[in-house]
Amino acid sequence: MTGKKLKVAVDSLCRPRRRVRIFLSFLLVFAATCLVHFIQKQHFLNIFEGLGTDPLEDPTKNLNNSDAFPPGAMLGITPQQSTEIVSSENGEKGNADNRQEAEAVLTSLVTPVKLPLSQQDTDSHQRKLLKTSPPISHTNANNITTSSSDSNASVPSVPSVPDVPKNWSKVSATVKARRDLVKEMCAKYKSNIPKNITKGHLYHVFVEDKYKLLYCQVPKAGCSNWRRTLMVLSGYASNIENIKHDTVHYASNLRSLNNYDNEGVIHRLKTYTKVLFVREPMQRLVSAYRDKFENPNDYYHGLFGKPIISKYRVNASEEARKTGNGVTFKEFIQYLLDVHRPIGMDIHWNLVDKLCHPCIMNYDFIGKFENMGEESDFLLRLIGAPSDLKLPTFKDRNPKDKKTSTDVMESYFSQVTAEEKQKVYDFYYMDYQMFDYSKPFNDLH
């Protein structure tokens, strides 16, 4: 009897201790679970921060291939993390040679960068910070001298053949000056953007394997004719003149770099010539507006025209709301400058900086639409293309439209206020600075 009472007394004393141990064990398991969840969440956020695009503008969100973003979209990704690159086929870690190669490639391709602009391009405060920074001193690309520490870097040079035109020395020097300027701008303004290359950075880069060319398309800067040229170089077509517009843009003849696995991407970034052609930003904008909104285009009138008219036109007719036809240039500019756009951005008027990521891709050849004939011919000879192949100059969309010249651009911008004109310049300010374009209007500041 005494023993039973003693046992009951002992149990009554130990029971609270057991409860405390159980409670502490529960807390420990709960904390561990929360920690794992937090780490996973941070990794997920880091992946999206590496992409650096708005969800409305994310070109990879509808991709169906196994290498597409988000799972497996990272290329590995800072040099410090390159030893953990995972094979996209078997999920195992690559061997030491692959890791060393990836580290060397990524280290050489990615420039430390700082972006004072927020993700919303139209943040006027951030644009003012950018514009009031001390200007970079550089000479015009047509008359270059440079003191860049990268002056001995590998750049396109004049082929050593006896019949090289004299002006090619000037083209070669001009291209180098543009590269140096882009590096200066990236180092000055973008030292804080992610240092990793993602599939989102590669979406607009097209691959031509025979002549080892990577071309980043900038719409309204000769991209249709460059894609025609790539098709001929690749052997998909024998005659540039016979390639129709729909074939250029909707046939699957050209492959985007983001469709390759990590090993294929790294190999091409390391060994191929990376090419970018740009255009005066406000002329490119006017050209895009004329093409998409002044001519019949059910897609753009429906997708962009209807929400633009509905938001910015006072007393819009039911017919205009229904069809999206007849968007005015002023309405288009209101949409462009609106922080809360009713529809996202489009590649035809998005910044080159956002489309082709020059601070990460480190382009070998930066050409200009304004000198397209001379500079494209130089590039084609440089890569060893057939001597009779030249970039075409025709346009098969709205061929009767007058070319968007400086005069045409000025006539369109006369339809908006001085304040709106200034804001458009601010919007494209990074493209103006990075690619050395002058202010298009004297009253801009």
mmCIF file of all heavy atoms in Angstrom, residues 72-108:
data_model
loop_
_atom_site.group_PDB
_atom_site.id
_atom_site.type_symbol
_atom_site.label_atom_id
_atom_site.label_comp_id
_atom_site.label_asym_id
_atom_site.label_seq_id
_atom_site.Cartn_x
_atom_site.Cartn_y
_atom_site.Cartn_z
ATOM 1 N N GLY A 72 15.311 25.675 -62.396
ATOM 2 C CA GLY A 72 16.481 25.412 -63.230
ATOM 3 C C GLY A 72 16.860 26.567 -64.113
ATOM 4 O O GLY A 72 17.704 26.420 -64.989
ATOM 5 N N ALA A 73 16.246 27.732 -63.904
ATOM 6 C CA ALA A 73 16.552 28.853 -64.789
ATOM 7 C C ALA A 73 17.907 29.466 -64.495
ATOM 8 O O ALA A 73 18.527 30.051 -65.361
ATOM 9 C CB ALA A 73 15.477 29.936 -64.650
ATOM 10 N N MET A 74 18.375 29.354 -63.284
ATOM 11 C CA MET A 74 19.655 29.949 -62.944
ATOM 12 C C MET A 74 20.790 29.175 -63.591
ATOM 13 O O MET A 74 20.752 27.968 -63.672
ATOM 14 C CB MET A 74 19.847 29.933 -61.420
ATOM 15 C CG MET A 74 18.706 30.596 -60.662
ATOM 16 S SD MET A 74 18.730 32.371 -60.823
ATOM 17 C CE MET A 74 20.048 32.735 -59.687
ATOM 18 N N LEU A 75 21.794 29.907 -64.028
ATOM 19 C CA LEU A 75 22.942 29.249 -64.647
ATOM 20 C C LEU A 75 24.028 28.936 -63.641
ATOM 21 O O LEU A 75 25.103 28.496 -64.005
ATOM 22 C CB LEU A 75 23.520 30.119 -65.766
ATOM 23 C CG LEU A 75 22.668 30.176 -67.013
ATOM 24 C CD1 LEU A 75 23.322 31.072 -68.032
ATOM 25 C CD2 LEU A 75 22.466 28.787 -67.578
ATOM 26 N N GLY A 76 23.862 29.172 -62.396
ATOM 27 C CA GLY A 76 24.805 28.710 -61.414
ATOM 28 C C GLY A 76 25.459 29.659 -60.488
ATOM 29 O O GLY A 76 26.569 29.675 -60.600
ATOM 30 N N ILE A 77 24.994 30.906 -59.271
ATOM 31 C CA ILE A 77 25.144 31.586 -60.375
ATOM 32 C C ILE A 77 26.101 32.650 -60.329
ATOM 33 O O ILE A 77 26.570 32.997 -61.334
ATOM 34 C CB ILE A 77 24.062 31.343 -61.208
ATOM 35 C CG1 ILE A 77 23.272 30.120 -61.314
ATOM 36 C CG2 ILE A 77 24.674 31.358 -62.386
ATOM 37 C CD1 ILE A 77 23.092 29.275 -62.294
ATOM 38 N N THR A 78 26.416 32.932 -59.234
ATOM 39 C CA THR A 78 27.558 33.813 -59.068
ATOM 40 C C THR A 78 28.806 32.961 -59.082
ATOM 41 O O THR A 78 28.741 31.760 -58.850
ATOM 42 C CB THR A 78 27.466 34.543 -57.722
ATOM 43 O OG1 THR A 78 27.486 33.569 -56.689
ATOM 44 C CG2 THR A 78 26.184 35.351 -57.621
ATOM 45 N N PRO A 79 29.977 33.548 -59.361
ATOM 46 C CA PRO A 79 31.192 32.740 -59.372
ATOM 47 C C PRO A 79 31.409 31.972 -58.072
ATOM 48 O O PRO A 79 31.910 30.865 -58.084
ATOM 49 C CB PRO A 79 32.287 33.799 -59.587
ATOM 50 C CG PRO A 79 31.604 34.880 -60.355
ATOM 51 C CD PRO A 79 30.208 34.913 -59.826
ATOM 52 N N GLN A 80 30.989 32.567 -56.945
ATOM 53 C CA GLN A 80 31.172 31.871 -55.685
ATOM 54 C C GLN A 80 30.307 30.622 -55.589
ATOM 55 O O GLN A 80 30.596 29.709 -54.837
ATOM 56 C CB GLN A 80 30.811 32.819 -54.519
ATOM 57 C CG GLN A 80 31.779 33.978 -54.335
ATOM 58 C CD GLN A 80 31.492 35.111 -55.303
ATOM 59 O OE1 GLN A 80 30.564 35.034 -56.093
ATOM 60 N NE2 GLN A 80 32.311 36.153 -55.243
ATOM 61 N N GLN A 81 29.216 30.587 -56.344
ATOM 62 C CA GLN A 81 28.316 29.449 -56.290
ATOM 63 C C GLN A 81 28.523 28.493 -57.446
ATOM 64 O O GLN A 81 27.825 27.503 -57.554
ATOM 65 C CB GLN A 81 26.863 29.945 -56.334
ATOM 66 C CG GLN A 81 26.475 30.799 -55.133
ATOM 67 C CD GLN A 81 25.123 31.425 -55.343
ATOM 68 O OE1 GLN A 81 24.749 31.736 -56.459
ATOM 69 N NE2 GLN A 81 24.393 31.615 -54.262
ATOM 70 N N SER A 82 29.483 28.764 -58.301
ATOM 71 C CA SER A 82 29.587 28.001 -59.535
ATOM 72 C C SER A 82 29.961 26.545 -59.304
ATOM 73 O O SER A 82 29.767 25.707 -60.166
ATOM 74 C CB SER A 82 30.624 28.639 -60.465
ATOM 75 O OG SER A 82 31.892 28.638 -59.852
ATOM 76 N N THR A 83 30.492 26.203 -58.146
ATOM 77 C CA THR A 83 30.819 24.809 -57.882
ATOM 78 C C THR A 83 29.581 23.977 -57.636
ATOM 79 O O THR A 83 29.667 22.760 -57.509
ATOM 80 C CB THR A 83 31.736 24.704 -56.653
ATOM 81 O OG1 THR A 83 31.108 25.357 -55.547
ATOM 82 C CG2 THR A 83 33.080 25.349 -56.932
ATOM 83 N N GLU A 84 28.407 24.608 -57.580
ATOM 84 C CA GLU A 84 27.182 23.874 -57.341
ATOM 85 C C GLU A 84 26.280 23.828 -58.561
ATOM 86 O O GLU A 84 25.086 23.614 -58.465
ATOM 87 C CB GLU A 84 26.425 24.494 -56.168
ATOM 88 C CG GLU A 84 27.208 24.417 -54.871
ATOM 89 C CD GLU A 84 26.447 25.011 -53.727
ATOM 90 O OE1 GLU A 84 25.276 25.383 -53.923
ATOM 91 O OE2 GLU A 84 27.016 25.109 -52.637
ATOM 92 N N ILE A 85 26.849 24.056 -59.755
ATOM 93 C CA ILE A 85 26.064 23.985 -60.977
ATOM 94 C C ILE A 85 25.533 22.573 -61.153
ATOM 95 O O ILE A 85 26.250 21.584 -61.017
ATOM 96 C CB ILE A 85 26.916 24.379 -62.198
ATOM 97 C CG1 ILE A 85 27.206 25.876 -62.120
ATOM 98 C CG2 ILE A 85 26.215 24.046 -63.498
ATOM 99 C CD1 ILE A 85 28.051 26.380 -63.238
ATOM 100 N N VAL A 86 24.250 22.481 -61.459
ATOM 101 C CA VAL A 86 23.594 21.181 -61.570
ATOM 102 C C VAL A 86 23.305 20.875 -63.023
ATOM 103 O O VAL A 86 22.869 21.733 -63.778
ATOM 104 C CB VAL A 86 22.282 21.199 -60.757
ATOM 105 C CG1 VAL A 86 21.531 19.898 -60.928
ATOM 106 C CG2 VAL A 86 22.592 21.435 -59.286
ATOM 107 N N SER A 87 23.537 19.643 -63.434
ATOM 108 C CA SER A 87 23.239 19.235 -64.796
ATOM 109 C C SER A 87 21.742 19.286 -65.017
ATOM 110 O O SER A 87 20.968 18.800 -64.209
ATOM 111 C CB SER A 87 23.742 17.806 -65.034
ATOM 112 O OG SER A 87 23.187 17.282 -66.218
ATOM 113 N N SER A 88 21.294 19.865 -66.133
ATOM 114 C CA SER A 88 19.865 19.974 -66.399
ATOM 115 C C SER A 88 19.272 18.637 -66.814
ATOM 116 O O SER A 88 18.066 18.487 -66.891
ATOM 117 C CB SER A 88 19.622 20.997 -67.514
ATOM 118 O OG SER A 88 20.283 20.604 -68.692
ATOM 119 N N GLU A 89 20.105 17.646 -67.123
ATOM 120 C CA GLU A 89 19.593 16.368 -67.580
ATOM 121 C C GLU A 89 19.469 15.349 -66.457
ATOM 122 O O GLU A 89 18.490 14.625 -66.374
ATOM 123 C CB GLU A 89 20.499 15.804 -68.680
ATOM 124 C CG GLU A 89 20.503 16.667 -69.940
ATOM 125 C CD GLU A 89 21.335 16.055 -71.028
ATOM 126 O OE1 GLU A 89 21.909 14.973 -70.786
ATOM 127 O OE2 GLU A 89 21.429 16.642 -72.106
ATOM 128 N N ASN A 90 20.465 15.239 -65.585
ATOM 129 C CA ASN A 90 20.416 14.189 -64.576
ATOM 130 C C ASN A 90 20.395 14.709 -63.150
ATOM 131 O O ASN A 90 20.329 13.939 -62.208
ATOM 132 C CB ASN A 90 21.601 13.229 -64.750
ATOM 133 C CG ASN A 90 22.936 13.953 -64.715
ATOM 134 O OD1 ASN A 90 23.034 15.028 -64.131
ATOM 135 N ND2 ASN A 90 23.940 13.389 -65.364
ATOM 136 N N GLY A 91 20.477 16.037 -62.962
ATOM 137 C CA GLY A 91 20.366 16.589 -61.628
ATOM 138 C C GLY A 91 21.588 16.376 -60.765
ATOM 139 O O GLY A 91 21.595 16.703 -59.583
ATOM 140 N N GLU A 92 22.671 15.830 -61.292
ATOM 141 C CA GLU A 92 23.870 15.603 -60.503
ATOM 142 C C GLU A 92 24.833 16.760 -60.671
ATOM 143 O O GLU A 92 24.821 17.473 -61.657
ATOM 144 C CB GLU A 92 24.552 14.301 -60.952
ATOM 145 C CG GLU A 92 23.673 13.056 -60.740
ATOM 146 C CD GLU A 92 24.362 11.807 -61.262
ATOM 147 O OE1 GLU A 92 25.449 11.948 -61.861
ATOM 148 O OE2 GLU A 92 23.825 10.724 -61.066
ATOM 149 N N LYS A 93 25.724 16.932 -59.724
ATOM 150 C CA LYS A 93 26.720 17.993 -59.826
ATOM 151 C C LYS A 93 27.686 17.695 -60.967
ATOM 152 O O LYS A 93 28.095 16.565 -61.191
ATOM 153 C CB LYS A 93 27.489 18.117 -58.508
ATOM 154 C CG LYS A 93 26.628 18.668 -57.371
ATOM 155 C CD LYS A 93 27.459 18.869 -56.143
ATOM 156 C CE LYS A 93 26.601 19.446 -55.021
ATOM 157 N NZ LYS A 93 27.385 19.657 -53.800
ATOM 158 N N GLY A 94 28.062 18.768 -61.698
ATOM 159 C CA GLY A 94 29.016 18.602 -62.787
ATOM 160 C C GLY A 94 30.391 18.269 -62.249
ATOM 161 O O GLY A 94 30.680 18.442 -61.073
ATOM 162 N N ASN A 95 31.256 17.780 -63.129
ATOM 163 C CA ASN A 95 32.608 17.438 -62.693
ATOM 164 C C ASN A 95 33.444 18.695 -62.517
ATOM 165 O O ASN A 95 33.007 19.810 -62.800
ATOM 166 C CB ASN A 95 33.273 16.478 -63.693
ATOM 167 C CG ASN A 95 33.316 17.065 -65.083
ATOM 168 O OD1 ASN A 95 33.493 18.264 -65.249
ATOM 169 N ND2 ASN A 95 33.155 16.215 -66.090
ATOM 170 N N ALA A 96 34.661 18.532 -62.043
ATOM 171 C CA ALA A 96 35.495 19.688 -61.701
ATOM 172 C C ALA A 96 35.784 20.557 -62.910
ATOM 173 O O ALA A 96 35.799 21.789 -62.818
ATOM 174 C CB ALA A 96 36.804 19.206 -61.076
ATOM 175 N N ASP A 97 36.007 19.936 -64.070
ATOM 176 C CA ASP A 97 36.318 20.726 -65.260
ATOM 177 C C ASP A 97 35.149 21.623 -65.640
ATOM 178 O O ASP A 97 35.328 22.794 -66.004
ATOM 179 C CB ASP A 97 36.658 19.801 -66.438
ATOM 180 C CG ASP A 97 37.979 19.087 -66.220
ATOM 181 O OD1 ASP A 97 38.803 19.597 -65.435
ATOM 182 O OD2 ASP A 97 38.167 18.034 -66.844
ATOM 183 N N ASN A 98 33.930 21.070 -65.604
ATOM 184 C CA ASN A 98 32.752 21.861 -65.939
ATOM 185 C C ASN A 98 32.572 23.016 -64.959
ATOM 186 O O ASN A 98 32.198 24.123 -65.343
ATOM 187 C CB ASN A 98 31.495 20.993 -65.931
ATOM 188 C CG ASN A 98 31.449 20.046 -67.104
ATOM 189 O OD1 ASN A 98 32.095 20.288 -68.118
ATOM 190 N ND2 ASN A 98 30.703 18.963 -66.967
ATOM 191 N N ARG A 99 32.831 22.767 -63.696
ATOM 192 C CA ARG A 99 32.686 23.816 -62.701
ATOM 193 C C ARG A 99 33.690 24.928 -62.946
ATOM 194 O O ARG A 99 33.358 26.111 -62.869
ATOM 195 C CB ARG A 99 32.870 23.227 -61.291
ATOM 196 C CG ARG A 99 31.734 22.311 -60.868
ATOM 197 C CD ARG A 99 31.739 22.128 -59.361
ATOM 198 N NE ARG A 99 32.965 21.492 -58.892
ATOM 199 C CZ ARG A 99 33.114 20.183 -58.729
ATOM 200 N NH1 ARG A 99 32.114 19.369 -59.026
ATOM 201 N NH2 ARG A 99 34.236 19.682 -58.280
ATOM 202 N N GLN A 100 34.944 24.549 -63.260
ATOM 203 C CA GLN A 100 35.960 25.563 -63.510
ATOM 204 C C GLN A 100 35.627 26.382 -64.743
ATOM 205 O O GLN A 100 35.781 27.601 -64.779
ATOM 206 C CB GLN A 100 37.332 24.908 -63.666
ATOM 207 C CG GLN A 100 37.851 24.303 -62.363
ATOM 208 C CD GLN A 100 39.124 23.523 -62.578
ATOM 209 O OE1 GLN A 100 39.617 23.414 -63.696
ATOM 210 N NE2 GLN A 100 39.661 22.964 -61.497
ATOM 211 N N GLU A 101 35.140 25.691 -65.780
ATOM 212 C CA GLU A 101 34.781 26.394 -67.007
ATOM 213 C C GLU A 101 33.634 27.373 -66.750
ATOM 214 O O GLU A 101 33.663 28.527 -67.177
ATOM 215 C CB GLU A 101 34.357 25.410 -68.089
ATOM 216 C CG GLU A 101 33.952 26.120 -69.401
ATOM 217 C CD GLU A 101 33.352 25.161 -70.400
ATOM 218 O OE1 GLU A 101 32.720 24.186 -69.963
ATOM 219 O OE2 GLU A 101 33.511 25.400 -71.599
ATOM 220 N N ALA A 102 32.619 26.902 -66.017
ATOM 221 C CA ALA A 102 31.473 27.763 -65.732
ATOM 222 C C ALA A 102 31.896 28.975 -64.927
ATOM 223 O O ALA A 102 31.466 30.101 -65.176
ATOM 224 C CB ALA A 102 30.409 26.975 -64.973
ATOM 225 N N GLU A 103 32.771 28.764 -63.940
ATOM 226 C CA GLU A 103 33.221 29.875 -63.112
ATOM 227 C C GLU A 103 33.979 30.900 -63.938
ATOM 228 O O GLU A 103 33.772 32.097 -63.819
ATOM 229 C CB GLU A 103 34.101 29.350 -61.980
ATOM 230 C CG GLU A 103 34.573 30.444 -61.046
ATOM 231 C CD GLU A 103 35.254 29.897 -59.805
ATOM 232 O OE1 GLU A 103 35.264 28.675 -59.636
ATOM 233 O OE2 GLU A 103 35.775 30.703 -59.027
ATOM 234 N N ALA A 104 34.848 30.418 -64.830
ATOM 235 C CA ALA A 104 35.631 31.335 -65.666
ATOM 236 C C ALA A 104 34.731 32.123 -66.604
ATOM 237 O O ALA A 104 34.892 33.329 -66.779
ATOM 238 C CB ALA A 104 36.673 30.543 -66.473
ATOM 239 N N VAL A 105 33.741 31.421 -67.209
ATOM 240 C CA VAL A 105 32.847 32.091 -68.150
ATOM 241 C C VAL A 105 32.010 33.143 -67.442
ATOM 242 O O VAL A 105 31.925 34.293 -67.869
ATOM 243 C CB VAL A 105 31.922 31.061 -68.836
ATOM 244 C CG1 VAL A 105 30.868 31.780 -69.664
ATOM 245 C CG2 VAL A 105 32.734 30.143 -69.722
ATOM 246 N N LEU A 106 31.407 32.767 -66.347
ATOM 247 C CA LEU A 106 30.522 33.707 -65.662
ATOM 248 C C LEU A 106 31.292 34.880 -65.085
ATOM 249 O O LEU A 106 30.816 36.006 -65.068
ATOM 250 C CB LEU A 106 29.745 32.973 -64.565
ATOM 251 C CG LEU A 106 28.736 31.961 -65.103
ATOM 252 C CD1 LEU A 106 28.189 31.118 -63.977
ATOM 253 C CD2 LEU A 106 27.604 32.662 -65.818
ATOM 254 N N THR A 107 32.492 34.628 -64.594
ATOM 255 C CA THR A 107 33.303 35.715 -64.056
ATOM 256 C C THR A 107 33.663 36.710 -65.143
ATOM 257 O O THR A 107 33.651 37.921 -64.928
ATOM 258 C CB THR A 107 34.585 35.157 -63.418
ATOM 259 O OG1 THR A 107 34.222 34.250 -62.387
ATOM 260 C CG2 THR A 107 35.423 36.282 -62.815
ATOM 261 N N SER A 108 33.965 36.208 -66.337
ATOM 262 C CA SER A 108 34.379 37.095 -67.420
ATOM 263 C C SER A 108 33.201 37.820 -68.051
ATOM 264 O O SER A 108 33.345 38.916 -68.569
ATOM 265 C CB SER A 108 35.116 36.298 -68.498
ATOM 266 O OG SER A 108 34.237 35.375 -69.112
#
